Amino acid sequence: MISFLEGTVLFAGEKFAVISIGGIGYKVFAGSDTLARLPAKGATVQLWTHQHVREDALDLYGFLHYQELDLFEMLIAISGIGPKGALGILGIAPADTLKKAIAAGDT
């Protein structure tokens, strides 16, 4: 499994970024908040990643902070929440705020 990437930002769009590492471009899906906080094109970035394996795809999801990855992995472990849904949930508020709300049962 790919759990961490460090490389150069080649492209950052609305749903994913492309990170160049050793001549290979990795397509990394991320939330809008993460994509907005990426350094400029050509700069080095470090991302914690989750590799999601499906029958028809191998997708990478990236996060600037480990606690975001940790919450993402907790969310996708819940039946009915997939990676894209988890990114949407993470886009609502910072990870700490979401964890507190979940712990308090605050919908």
Side-chain angles (χ1 to χ4, degrees), residues 24-37:
I24 299 171
Y26 291 87
K27 184 177 186 178
V28 182
F29 293 97
S32 57
D33 186 50
T34 297
L35 291 167
R37 292 183 289 146

Side-chain angles (χ1 to χ4, degrees), residues 1 5 9 12 14-16 18 25 29 33 36-38 41 43 48-49 53-55 66 81 86 91 95-96 103 105:
M1 294 295 255
L5 295 175
V9 177
E14 291 182 26
K15 297 185 186 272
F16 67 90
V18 177
F29 293 97
D33 186 50
R37 292 183 289 146
L38 286 178
K41 181 180 174 183
W48 292 97
T49 61
V53 179
R54 296 187 327 212
E55 184 176 303
Y66 184 81
I81 299 179
D96 286 340

Side-chain angles (χ1 to χ4, degrees), residues 2-16:
I2 299 171
S3 60
F4 183 82
L5 295 175
E6 180 174 353
T8 304
V9 177
L10 289 183
F11 172 82
E14 291 182 26
K15 297 185 186 272
F16 67 90

Side-chain angles (χ1 to χ4, degrees), residues 31-34 75 85-94 98:
S32 57
D33 186 50
T34 297
L75 289 170
L87 283 183
I89 292 168
L90 288 172
I92 294 171
L98 289 172

Side-chain angles (χ1 to χ4, degrees), residues 73-84:
E73 289 179 337
M74 282 191 238
L75 289 170
I76 63 172
I78 298 169
S79 179
I81 299 179
K84 294 191 186 211

